Amino acid sequence: MLLRLRAILDTDGLTDGLRTSHLGRATYRRDASFLNADPLAVALPRTVEQTAEVLRACRDHGIPITPRAAGTGLAGGATPTGEAGARPVVVSVARMDQLRELDVANRRAWVEPGLVNARLGRAAAAHGLRFAPDPASQIAATLGGNVATNAGGIHVLTYGVMSQHVLAVELMDLDGEVHLLDGRAPEQGGLDLRAVSVGGEGTLGIVVGACLRLLPAPPATGTLLAGFPSLDAAAATVGALVTSDRLPDAVELMDARAIELVEGYAQAGYPQDAAAVLLLEYEGLPAGVDAGAATAERLASEHGATSVVRAADSDQRARIWKGRKAVAGAIAKQAPDFYLQDVVVPRSRLGEMLDTVVTIGERERLTILNVVHAGDGNLHPFILFDRREPDVLDRVFAAGHDIVETALRLDGTVTGEHGVGIEKRDFLGQVFDADSLAVQQAVRDAIEPTRLANPDKVLPTTVGCGEARMVPEGAWV
Amino acid sequence: MTTSTSWEPADADEMVAALADARSAGQAVEVRGSGSVLDRIPGGDEPVLSTAALDGIVDHAPEDLTVTVRAGMAFDELAQELAQHGQECPIEPIVDDGATVGGRLATGLAGPRQLGAGRVRDWVLRVRFITGDGHPASAGGVTVKDVTGYDVCRLMTGSWGTLGVITEVTLKLRPIPRQPAWFATETPDPTVAARLYRPAAVVTTAERTHVLLEEHPDDAAAQAADAGLEPAAAPTFPATARAALDPAALPGFLAELQHANSSPEGAALQVTAQGQLGLCHLDGSADALARARSVVERHGGRLLVLDPALGLAAFGSGHAPDAMTNRVTAALDPDGRLAPWRWER
Ligand SMILES: Cc1cc2nc3c(=O)[nH]c(=O)nc-3n(C[C@H](O)[C@H](O)[C@H](O)COP(=O)(O)OP(=O)(O)OC[C@H]3O[C@@H](n4cnc5c(N)ncnc54)[C@H](O)[C@@H]3O)c2cc1C
Ligand SMILES: Cc1cc2nc3c(=O)[nH]c(=O)nc-3n(C[C@H](O)[C@H](O)[C@H](O)COP(=O)(O)OP(=O)(O)OC[C@H]3O[C@@H](n4cnc5c(N)ncnc54)[C@H](O)[C@@H]3O)c2cc1C
């Protein structure tokens, strides 16, 4: 089997297409989550044809595959878990990283899966265009990974998640056959299998290409930073903003701990006495942007904002965003480890949810800081810890578990953008009833009948199983 | 359309029972919303499962920008309710035809504002439905962001009643634009779209190109002046047939149609295009539409014809399902109880 893979991958005098050594496998044991496991081998195909042959070889030997791109995923989706004796081959698409075509006239781009999100952004910007999905990981995460996780970002409120920007997907099945989903004629008749493949988390096959929608870059942008005396006041402002007559394009919330942490690191000029800040952005044509920003200033003040600043120029704007984007880096300086959660609640429950996160942190004696895509009700509590501290992991996982349970209790859901992977898999029995889970399984099996693509991920193995496990057996942190 | 049997269940439980009835009688059924489209698909007198009694709003949460409605509710009634709160879901049909919310989803045909607002599927947060084998299920959730499990919500959108009976839908909402206004060019000029920042709609008829601007009135005025647009009425859409093809192939398609149009028998074709979307709305004779269909399909697209009197299939060979589609359909409707004839008519 490994010989066959080597023969497929090491052609033209190249010898690094397959990694089988302990060291070669080591960096592919995990994504950006804690969950990790040892793959059988790592395949790094350079072409679609090689990928097809790798998949056929795995299929012939009944060996599961774990698709992988940049490995910035946070749900263990790219972690190569498998039963003893059925360890998967990691199939990395990282070397297929070309921008195949930038179709400026029709405002779309055909990309290979390993192309990094920010690179498409730069290529589009040269033509006055932009690619809207902007996950905080965009300098590293790939578009194939973004498709596979249905990634979100900062501007989801008005632009929507990844799926809204994916016009077509080339999905390769385990026979190595490529299916062009929704590419021929957009919409109108025929099932939207493209939609299912977006967010498939590697369980439906490998995304070997995608056609993505580009938008014109906005002529005007208004960015505001508002400080609040309490989390509740900030949350209430969010409620008022989304029911005002113009939706902001981005509404991010950071709590006092997050503000303090990034200020020391990025000097973004956030008010240090605030219990929370909101970062707001309006994009579009100038009068609309001004009107939106004026409304936001008024609403923030009405809800007790202690400071409201509107960026005067692009430097100031960049500085405001720098604080938000520096969170992960700032944390890495402060705490050796962090566990980043991802839950969603209806926007009206945001205040309640944030209060409960604070309580959970106090109870488990953990520092939790909140960075929230507030306009979407999507929370990202960062739980900081040092794994050398005895028993700390139990408390970290207990806190994570409680945060998810709280979101569910508030009519929310277990993941808004990072995906299910292994991390959230066993919660699905709480999200869906048995019939709905059966539908999920049936759709998956219909698209990927071999059950070799990322088999442990997304759906619980026994439908309706009980308690969630944060650390699956066989994995270590 | 005359119908042999029909059911009009009042809730999801009755819907399950009705499906069981049909099943024990060995019958496959057609799900019917208001019938505005269904009655225009050539067909027999299959038993009908109507959603007419599934009416009304279940929950409107203005502060969450979501609304949950029963599938049989008329879309325009919903729109009126939402408007009282200054909100909308911009997936109205191109013709005010009594469409139900379930019918909007099931057909997935986007309305005139698709260019700016996106497709129907992008506004659907949660769907409750009964599978072909009679199980009540749901997909999605009431939050605006949700990647929990596979996106079966979008899969149900555009499934034309072949995967399940949609009983309840949660939609995403947005504030109603304050002063939407239609403008037009003097002569047809689809390239005007490129000179505007994200227009809500661009629709080219034989006479002119209509543009809908939903921005702040000052911005709209400035845009219109820059692009040489005059205030105009909203366009009306031919609604016999609808072509969807790759936007890059659309100019070629239109050129071929125009060529056919210059011959006497081709003159019987009215074409309105939403070029950026690869969409064309057509009225015409059976011959003209048959020819249009072959041109569309040659360009890799599809033509939907909704007029049984023309003697043309509604979907045509461009819609023939592939193996994966058949497997997914069988996954939700294993015994072929829900309009198994759909794509053949
Ligand atoms: C600091 C930080 C910030 C982040 N911020 C955000 C954010 O704002 N929004 C957000 O949505 N996410 C965010 N993420 C999560 C992550 O970046 C996204 O999930 C991203 O889409 C993953 O892309 P990747 O290339 O790293 O994929 P990987 O991690 O390699 O893979 C992710 C999943 O997709 C599958 N996969 C990858 N490539 C393919 C393919 N070609 N075909 C089929 N399946 C494939 C894998 O099997 C796995 O299940 C963040 C992560 C970090 C570390
Ligand atoms: C020729 C023509 C072209 C059109 N083009 C467009 C267009 O381009 N854009 C646009 O916005 N509108 C268009 N429309 C209108 C639009 O399709 C209808 O407004 C609407 O979507 C149909 O709603 P209905 O309730 O009448 O559905 P029906 O006509 O009753 O049913 C239509 C289909 O949906 C299924 N269905 C209905 N309800 C359910 C349910 N609850 N669960 C499962 N399946 C269900 C039916 O089985 C059937 O397959 C067009 C109409 C016509 C006649």
PDB file of all heavy atoms in Angstrom, chain A residues 25 28-31 35-42 65-66 68 76-83 86-90 422 454 456-457:
ATOM      1  N   ARG A  25       5.395  12.301  10.104  1.00  0.00           N
ATOM      2  CA  ARG A  25       3.975  12.243  10.453  1.00  0.00           C
ATOM      3  C   ARG A  25       3.624  13.220  11.561  1.00  0.00           C
ATOM      4  O   ARG A  25       2.477  13.639  11.697  1.00  0.00           O
ATOM      5  CB  ARG A  25       3.594  10.828  10.916  1.00  0.00           C
ATOM      6  CG  ARG A  25       3.806   9.738   9.880  1.00  0.00           C
ATOM      7  CD  ARG A  25       3.125   8.444  10.306  1.00  0.00           C
ATOM      8  NE  ARG A  25       3.440   8.016  11.664  1.00  0.00           N
ATOM      9  CZ  ARG A  25       4.403   7.152  12.001  1.00  0.00           C
ATOM     10  NH1 ARG A  25       5.148   6.608  11.061  1.00  0.00           N
ATOM     11  NH2 ARG A  25       4.589   6.823  13.265  1.00  0.00           N
ATOM     12  N   TYR A  28       1.502  16.324  11.309  1.00  0.00           N
ATOM     13  CA  TYR A  28       0.151  16.110  10.764  1.00  0.00           C
ATOM     14  C   TYR A  28      -0.753  15.397  11.766  1.00  0.00           C
ATOM     15  O   TYR A  28      -1.808  14.915  11.416  1.00  0.00           O
ATOM     16  CB  TYR A  28       0.230  15.325   9.453  1.00  0.00           C
ATOM     17  CG  TYR A  28       0.907  16.135   8.379  1.00  0.00           C
ATOM     18  CD1 TYR A  28       2.296  16.121   8.234  1.00  0.00           C
ATOM     19  CD2 TYR A  28       0.160  16.962   7.543  1.00  0.00           C
ATOM     20  CE1 TYR A  28       2.926  16.893   7.275  1.00  0.00           C
ATOM     21  CE2 TYR A  28       0.774  17.739   6.587  1.00  0.00           C
ATOM     22  CZ  TYR A  28       2.163  17.705   6.460  1.00  0.00           C
ATOM     23  OH  TYR A  28       2.767  18.493   5.508  1.00  0.00           O
ATOM     24  N   ARG A  29      -0.302  15.341  13.036  1.00  0.00           N
ATOM     25  CA  ARG A  29      -1.094  14.648  14.052  1.00  0.00           C
ATOM     26  C   ARG A  29      -2.312  15.451  14.463  1.00  0.00           C
ATOM     27  O   ARG A  29      -3.270  14.901  14.978  1.00  0.00           O
ATOM     28  CB  ARG A  29      -0.243  14.403  15.294  1.00  0.00           C
ATOM     29  CG  ARG A  29       0.889  13.418  15.083  1.00  0.00           C
ATOM     30  CD  ARG A  29       1.617  13.213  16.391  1.00  0.00           C
ATOM     31  NE  ARG A  29       0.738  12.644  17.379  1.00  0.00           N
ATOM     32  CZ  ARG A  29       0.857  11.405  17.839  1.00  0.00           C
ATOM     33  NH1 ARG A  29       1.804  10.614  17.403  1.00  0.00           N
ATOM     34  NH2 ARG A  29       0.008  10.963  18.743  1.00  0.00           N
ATOM     35  N   ARG A  30      -2.259  16.752  14.320  1.00  0.00           N
ATOM     36  CA  ARG A  30      -3.368  17.561  14.820  1.00  0.00           C
ATOM     37  C   ARG A  30      -3.548  18.818  13.980  1.00  0.00           C
ATOM     38  O   ARG A  30      -2.683  19.200  13.207  1.00  0.00           O
ATOM     39  CB  ARG A  30      -3.122  17.960  16.270  1.00  0.00           C
ATOM     40  CG  ARG A  30      -1.689  18.409  16.557  1.00  0.00           C
ATOM     41  CD  ARG A  30      -1.582  19.024  17.914  1.00  0.00           C
ATOM     42  NE  ARG A  30      -1.953  20.434  17.816  1.00  0.00           N
ATOM     43  CZ  ARG A  30      -1.706  21.332  18.771  1.00  0.00           C
ATOM     44  NH1 ARG A  30      -1.144  20.980  19.896  1.00  0.00           N
ATOM     45  NH2 ARG A  30      -2.044  22.597  18.602  1.00  0.00           N
ATOM     46  N   ASP A  31      -4.704  19.446  14.181  1.00  0.00           N
ATOM     47  CA  ASP A  31      -4.922  20.774  13.600  1.00  0.00           C
ATOM     48  C   ASP A  31      -4.671  21.791  14.712  1.00  0.00           C
ATOM     49  O   ASP A  31      -3.837  21.536  15.585  1.00  0.00           O
ATOM     50  CB  ASP A  31      -6.327  20.876  12.989  1.00  0.00           C
ATOM     51  CG  ASP A  31      -7.435  20.482  13.963  1.00  0.00           C
ATOM     52  OD1 ASP A  31      -7.143  20.378  15.173  1.00  0.00           O
ATOM     53  OD2 ASP A  31      -8.578  20.292  13.521  1.00  0.00           O
ATOM     54  N   LEU A  35      -6.836  17.991  19.793  1.00  0.00           N
ATOM     55  CA  LEU A  35      -7.038  16.584  19.526  1.00  0.00           C
ATOM     56  C   LEU A  35      -5.966  16.101  18.588  1.00  0.00           C
ATOM     57  O   LEU A  35      -5.699  16.723  17.570  1.00  0.00           O
ATOM     58  CB  LEU A  35      -8.424  16.406  18.912  1.00  0.00           C
ATOM     59  CG  LEU A  35      -9.487  17.040  19.811  1.00  0.00           C
ATOM     60  CD1 LEU A  35     -10.753  17.307  19.036  1.00  0.00           C
ATOM     61  CD2 LEU A  35      -9.758  16.136  21.009  1.00  0.00           C
ATOM     62  N   ASN A  36      -5.326  15.005  18.936  1.00  0.00           N
ATOM     63  CA  ASN A  36      -4.313  14.537  18.017  1.00  0.00           C
ATOM     64  C   ASN A  36      -4.187  13.038  17.991  1.00  0.00           C
ATOM     65  O   ASN A  36      -4.612  12.331  18.899  1.00  0.00           O
ATOM     66  CB  ASN A  36      -3.003  15.292  18.250  1.00  0.00           C
ATOM     67  CG  ASN A  36      -2.115  14.677  19.271  1.00  0.00           C
ATOM     68  OD1 ASN A  36      -1.748  13.514  19.150  1.00  0.00           O
ATOM     69  ND2 ASN A  36      -1.762  15.457  20.278  1.00  0.00           N
ATOM     70  N   ALA A  37      -3.684  12.533  16.872  1.00  0.00           N
ATOM     71  CA  ALA A  37      -3.598  11.094  16.658  1.00  0.00           C
ATOM     72  C   ALA A  37      -2.575  10.851  15.550  1.00  0.00           C
ATOM     73  O   ALA A  37      -2.240  11.758  14.792  1.00  0.00           O
ATOM     74  CB  ALA A  37      -4.955  10.549  16.238  1.00  0.00           C
ATOM     75  N   ASP A  38      -2.113   9.631  15.487  1.00  0.00           N
ATOM     76  CA  ASP A  38      -1.022   9.298  14.579  1.00  0.00           C
ATOM     77  C   ASP A  38      -1.555   8.725  13.262  1.00  0.00           C
ATOM     78  O   ASP A  38      -2.247   7.720  13.267  1.00  0.00           O
ATOM     79  CB  ASP A  38      -0.134   8.258  15.281  1.00  0.00           C
ATOM     80  CG  ASP A  38       1.153   8.017  14.516  1.00  0.00           C
ATOM     81  OD1 ASP A  38       1.536   8.867  13.698  1.00  0.00           O
ATOM     82  OD2 ASP A  38       1.763   6.964  14.743  1.00  0.00           O
ATOM     83  N   PRO A  39      -1.272   9.389  12.132  1.00  0.00           N
ATOM     84  CA  PRO A  39      -1.736   8.832  10.861  1.00  0.00           C
ATOM     85  C   PRO A  39      -0.860   7.677  10.396  1.00  0.00           C
ATOM     86  O   PRO A  39       0.265   7.522  10.868  1.00  0.00           O
ATOM     87  CB  PRO A  39      -1.607  10.016   9.905  1.00  0.00           C
ATOM     88  CG  PRO A  39      -0.455  10.801  10.435  1.00  0.00           C
ATOM     89  CD  PRO A  39      -0.494  10.631  11.938  1.00  0.00           C
ATOM     90  N   LEU A  40      -1.365   6.917   9.459  1.00  0.00           N
ATOM     91  CA  LEU A  40      -0.566   5.850   8.849  1.00  0.00           C
ATOM     92  C   LEU A  40       0.549   6.470   8.006  1.00  0.00           C
ATOM     93  O   LEU A  40       1.695   6.028   8.044  1.00  0.00           O
ATOM     94  CB  LEU A  40      -1.489   4.998   7.970  1.00  0.00           C
ATOM     95  CG  LEU A  40      -0.880   3.817   7.245  1.00  0.00           C
ATOM     96  CD1 LEU A  40      -0.385   2.783   8.260  1.00  0.00           C
ATOM     97  CD2 LEU A  40      -1.916   3.192   6.320  1.00  0.00           C
ATOM     98  N   ALA A  41       0.183   7.487   7.262  1.00  0.00           N
ATOM     99  CA  ALA A  41       1.151   8.178   6.409  1.00  0.00           C
ATOM    100  C   ALA A  41       0.522   9.498   5.985  1.00  0.00           C
ATOM    101  O   ALA A  41      -0.666   9.728   6.214  1.00  0.00           O
ATOM    102  CB  ALA A  41       1.464   7.341   5.168  1.00  0.00           C
ATOM    103  N   VAL A  42       1.353  10.347   5.387  1.00  0.00           N
ATOM    104  CA  VAL A  42       0.850  11.635   4.907  1.00  0.00           C
ATOM    105  C   VAL A  42       1.134  11.740   3.415  1.00  0.00           C
ATOM    106  O   VAL A  42       2.290  11.619   2.995  1.00  0.00           O
ATOM    107  CB  VAL A  42       1.547  12.806   5.632  1.00  0.00           C
ATOM    108  CG1 VAL A  42       1.011  14.134   5.131  1.00  0.00           C
ATOM    109  CG2 VAL A  42       1.384  12.677   7.139  1.00  0.00           C
ATOM    110  N   ILE A  65      -9.250   8.013   4.813  1.00  0.00           N
ATOM    111  CA  ILE A  65      -8.446   9.209   4.559  1.00  0.00           C
ATOM    112  C   ILE A  65      -8.917  10.363   5.442  1.00  0.00           C
ATOM    113  O   ILE A  65     -10.085  10.434   5.804  1.00  0.00           O
ATOM    114  CB  ILE A  65      -8.530   9.674   3.087  1.00  0.00           C
ATOM    115  CG1 ILE A  65      -9.991   9.970   2.699  1.00  0.00           C
ATOM    116  CG2 ILE A  65      -7.932   8.641   2.146  1.00  0.00           C
ATOM    117  CD1 ILE A  65     -10.117  11.082   1.696  1.00  0.00           C
ATOM    118  N   THR A  66      -7.992  11.227   5.778  1.00  0.00           N
ATOM    119  CA  THR A  66      -8.333  12.477   6.445  1.00  0.00           C
ATOM    120  C   THR A  66      -7.838  13.624   5.579  1.00  0.00           C
ATOM    121  O   THR A  66      -6.635  13.848   5.469  1.00  0.00           O
ATOM    122  CB  THR A  66      -7.678  12.557   7.841  1.00  0.00           C
ATOM    123  OG1 THR A  66      -8.215  11.522   8.655  1.00  0.00           O
ATOM    124  CG2 THR A  66      -7.977  13.889   8.501  1.00  0.00           C
ATOM    125  N   ARG A  68      -6.826  17.288   4.511  1.00  0.00           N
ATOM    126  CA  ARG A  68      -6.197  18.332   5.305  1.00  0.00           C
ATOM    127  C   ARG A  68      -5.716  19.455   4.403  1.00  0.00           C
ATOM    128  O   ARG A  68      -5.267  19.217   3.282  1.00  0.00           O
ATOM    129  CB  ARG A  68      -5.007  17.762   6.061  1.00  0.00           C
ATOM    130  CG  ARG A  68      -4.279  18.785   6.913  1.00  0.00           C
ATOM    131  CD  ARG A  68      -3.007  18.198   7.487  1.00  0.00           C
ATOM    132  NE  ARG A  68      -2.320  19.188   8.289  1.00  0.00           N
ATOM    133  CZ  ARG A  68      -2.406  19.286   9.605  1.00  0.00           C
ATOM    134  NH1 ARG A  68      -3.148  18.437  10.277  1.00  0.00           N
ATOM    135  NH2 ARG A  68      -1.766  20.225  10.253  1.00  0.00           N
ATOM    136  N   GLY A  76     -10.741  19.641  15.384  1.00  0.00           N
ATOM    137  CA  GLY A  76     -10.168  18.299  15.227  1.00  0.00           C
ATOM    138  C   GLY A  76     -10.549  17.639  13.916  1.00  0.00           C
ATOM    139  O   GLY A  76     -10.353  16.436  13.739  1.00  0.00           O
ATOM    140  N   GLY A  77     -11.089  18.417  12.981  1.00  0.00           N
ATOM    141  CA  GLY A  77     -11.516  17.842  11.708  1.00  0.00           C
ATOM    142  C   GLY A  77     -10.385  17.227  10.910  1.00  0.00           C
ATOM    143  O   GLY A  77     -10.564  16.224  10.219  1.00  0.00           O
ATOM    144  N   ALA A  78      -9.202  17.823  11.011  1.00  0.00           N
ATOM    145  CA  ALA A  78      -8.072  17.309  10.239  1.00  0.00           C
ATOM    146  C   ALA A  78      -7.182  16.394  11.082  1.00  0.00           C
ATOM    147  O   ALA A  78      -6.101  15.997  10.654  1.00  0.00           O
ATOM    148  CB  ALA A  78      -7.258  18.482   9.672  1.00  0.00           C
ATOM    149  N   THR A  79      -7.634  16.077  12.284  1.00  0.00           N
ATOM    150  CA  THR A  79      -6.880  15.145  13.130  1.00  0.00           C
ATOM    151  C   THR A  79      -7.155  13.715  12.671  1.00  0.00           C
ATOM    152  O   THR A  79      -8.318  13.322  12.578  1.00  0.00           O
ATOM    153  CB  THR A  79      -7.305  15.335  14.605  1.00  0.00           C
ATOM    154  OG1 THR A  79      -7.006  16.670  14.999  1.00  0.00           O
ATOM    155  CG2 THR A  79      -6.565  14.364  15.506  1.00  0.00           C
ATOM    156  N   PRO A  80      -6.083  12.961  12.356  1.00  0.00           N
ATOM    157  CA  PRO A  80      -6.279  11.657  11.712  1.00  0.00           C
ATOM    158  C   PRO A  80      -6.627  10.533  12.693  1.00  0.00           C
ATOM    159  O   PRO A  80      -5.865   9.589  12.870  1.00  0.00           O
ATOM    160  CB  PRO A  80      -4.927  11.404  11.039  1.00  0.00           C
ATOM    161  CG  PRO A  80      -3.943  12.160  11.869  1.00  0.00           C
ATOM    162  CD  PRO A  80      -4.660  13.351  12.428  1.00  0.00           C
ATOM    163  N   THR A  81      -7.776  10.643  13.314  1.00  0.00           N
ATOM    164  CA  THR A  81      -8.170   9.597  14.251  1.00  0.00           C
ATOM    165  C   THR A  81      -8.612   8.354  13.500  1.00  0.00           C
ATOM    166  O   THR A  81      -9.100   8.426  12.377  1.00  0.00           O
ATOM    167  CB  THR A  81      -9.356  10.059  15.118  1.00  0.00           C
ATOM    168  OG1 THR A  81     -10.387  10.505  14.236  1.00  0.00           O
ATOM    169  CG2 THR A  81      -8.954  11.176  16.039  1.00  0.00           C
ATOM    170  N   GLY A  82      -8.448   7.231  14.127  1.00  0.00           N
ATOM    171  CA  GLY A  82      -8.928   5.983  13.538  1.00  0.00           C
ATOM    172  C   GLY A  82      -8.690   4.862  14.511  1.00  0.00           C
ATOM    173  O   GLY A  82      -7.832   4.954  15.384  1.00  0.00           O
ATOM    174  N   GLU A  83      -9.472   3.817  14.377  1.00  0.00           N
ATOM    175  CA  GLU A  83      -9.279   2.632  15.210  1.00  0.00           C
ATOM    176  C   GLU A  83      -7.873   2.098  14.975  1.00  0.00           C
ATOM    177  O   GLU A  83      -7.302   2.282  13.903  1.00  0.00           O
ATOM    178  CB  GLU A  83     -10.266   1.542  14.772  1.00  0.00           C
ATOM    179  CG  GLU A  83     -11.707   1.985  14.711  1.00  0.00           C
ATOM    180  CD  GLU A  83     -12.338   1.984  16.083  1.00  0.00           C
ATOM    181  OE1 GLU A  83     -12.322   0.911  16.707  1.00  0.00           O
ATOM    182  OE2 GLU A  83     -12.808   3.055  16.525  1.00  0.00           O
ATOM    183  N   ALA A  86      -6.777   0.730  11.638  1.00  0.00           N
ATOM    184  CA  ALA A  86      -7.422   1.472  10.546  1.00  0.00           C
ATOM    185  C   ALA A  86      -7.012   2.927  10.630  1.00  0.00           C
ATOM    186  O   ALA A  86      -7.837   3.832  10.506  1.00  0.00           O
ATOM    187  CB  ALA A  86      -8.940   1.316  10.618  1.00  0.00           C
ATOM    188  N   ARG A  87      -5.732   3.159  10.874  1.00  0.00           N
ATOM    189  CA  ARG A  87      -5.260   4.539  10.923  1.00  0.00           C
ATOM    190  C   ARG A  87      -5.361   5.143   9.524  1.00  0.00           C
ATOM    191  O   ARG A  87      -5.026   4.493   8.533  1.00  0.00           O
ATOM    192  CB  ARG A  87      -3.811   4.576  11.416  1.00  0.00           C
ATOM    193  CG  ARG A  87      -3.702   4.319  12.922  1.00  0.00           C
ATOM    194  CD  ARG A  87      -2.291   4.544  13.408  1.00  0.00           C
ATOM    195  NE  ARG A  87      -1.351   3.649  12.754  1.00  0.00           N
ATOM    196  CZ  ARG A  87      -0.049   3.886  12.604  1.00  0.00           C
ATOM    197  NH1 ARG A  87       0.457   5.019  13.040  1.00  0.00           N
ATOM    198  NH2 ARG A  87       0.738   3.036  12.016  1.00  0.00           N
ATOM    199  N   PRO A  88      -5.816   6.390   9.431  1.00  0.00           N
ATOM    200  CA  PRO A  88      -6.014   6.979   8.103  1.00  0.00           C
ATOM    201  C   PRO A  88      -4.719   7.500   7.475  1.00  0.00           C
ATOM    202  O   PRO A  88      -3.734   7.753   8.165  1.00  0.00           O
ATOM    203  CB  PRO A  88      -6.960   8.136   8.381  1.00  0.00           C
ATOM    204  CG  PRO A  88      -6.829   8.449   9.809  1.00  0.00           C
ATOM    205  CD  PRO A  88      -6.301   7.243  10.523  1.00  0.00           C
ATOM    206  N   VAL A  89      -4.794   7.672   6.188  1.00  0.00           N
ATOM    207  CA  VAL A  89      -3.771   8.414   5.463  1.00  0.00           C
ATOM    208  C   VAL A  89      -4.245   9.867   5.418  1.00  0.00           C
ATOM    209  O   VAL A  89      -5.384  10.141   5.031  1.00  0.00           O
ATOM    210  CB  VAL A  89      -3.616   7.864   4.029  1.00  0.00           C
ATOM    211  CG1 VAL A  89      -2.762   8.802   3.182  1.00  0.00           C
ATOM    212  CG2 VAL A  89      -3.001   6.468   4.064  1.00  0.00           C
ATOM    213  N   VAL A  90      -3.384  10.774   5.850  1.00  0.00           N
ATOM    214  CA  VAL A  90      -3.711  12.192   5.715  1.00  0.00           C
ATOM    215  C   VAL A  90      -3.469  12.581   4.259  1.00  0.00           C
ATOM    216  O   VAL A  90      -2.394  12.314   3.715  1.00  0.00           O
ATOM    217  CB  VAL A  90      -2.832  13.058   6.643  1.00  0.00           C
ATOM    218  CG1 VAL A  90      -2.977  14.536   6.292  1.00  0.00           C
ATOM    219  CG2 VAL A  90      -3.205  12.819   8.103  1.00  0.00           C
ATOM    220  N   ILE A 422     -14.346  16.416  15.599  1.00  0.00           N
ATOM    221  CA  ILE A 422     -14.564  15.441  16.671  1.00  0.00           C
ATOM    222  C   ILE A 422     -15.039  16.180  17.915  1.00  0.00           C
ATOM    223  O   ILE A 422     -15.785  15.661  18.711  1.00  0.00           O
ATOM    224  CB  ILE A 422     -13.265  14.724  17.117  1.00  0.00           C
ATOM    225  CG1 ILE A 422     -12.340  14.477  15.942  1.00  0.00           C
ATOM    226  CG2 ILE A 422     -13.597  13.430  17.834  1.00  0.00           C
ATOM    227  CD1 ILE A 422     -11.040  13.871  16.360  1.00  0.00           C
ATOM    228  N   ASN A 454     -12.824  10.630   6.223  1.00  0.00           N
ATOM    229  CA  ASN A 454     -12.877  11.204   7.576  1.00  0.00           C
ATOM    230  C   ASN A 454     -13.969  10.556   8.437  1.00  0.00           C
ATOM    231  O   ASN A 454     -14.834  11.253   8.983  1.00  0.00           O
ATOM    232  CB  ASN A 454     -13.115  12.721   7.464  1.00  0.00           C
ATOM    233  CG  ASN A 454     -12.120  13.522   8.290  1.00  0.00           C
ATOM    234  OD1 ASN A 454     -11.246  12.957   8.958  1.00  0.00           O
ATOM    235  ND2 ASN A 454     -12.242  14.831   8.258  1.00  0.00           N
ATOM    236  N   ASP A 456     -14.595   9.288  11.371  1.00  0.00           N
ATOM    237  CA  ASP A 456     -14.990   9.557  12.768  1.00  0.00           C
ATOM    238  C   ASP A 456     -15.626  10.914  12.975  1.00  0.00           C
ATOM    239  O   ASP A 456     -16.027  11.241  14.082  1.00  0.00           O
ATOM    240  CB  ASP A 456     -13.749   9.538  13.674  1.00  0.00           C
ATOM    241  CG  ASP A 456     -13.208   8.145  13.857  1.00  0.00           C
ATOM    242  OD1 ASP A 456     -13.935   7.198  13.537  1.00  0.00           O
ATOM    243  OD2 ASP A 456     -12.057   8.027  14.304  1.00  0.00           O
ATOM    244  N   LYS A 457     -15.655  11.730  11.945  1.00  0.00           N
ATOM    245  CA  LYS A 457     -15.989  13.134  12.170  1.00  0.00           C
ATOM    246  C   LYS A 457     -17.467  13.464  11.946  1.00  0.00           C
ATOM    247  O   LYS A 457     -18.169  12.741  11.261  1.00  0.00           O
ATOM    248  CB  LYS A 457     -15.151  14.024  11.244  1.00  0.00           C
ATOM    249  CG  LYS A 457     -13.668  13.676  11.193  1.00  0.00           C
ATOM    250  CD  LYS A 457     -12.954  13.869  12.516  1.00  0.00           C
ATOM    251  CE  LYS A 457     -11.610  13.153  12.573  1.00  0.00           C
ATOM    252  NZ  LYS A 457     -10.699  13.535  11.511  1.00  0.00           N
TER     253      LYS A 457
END
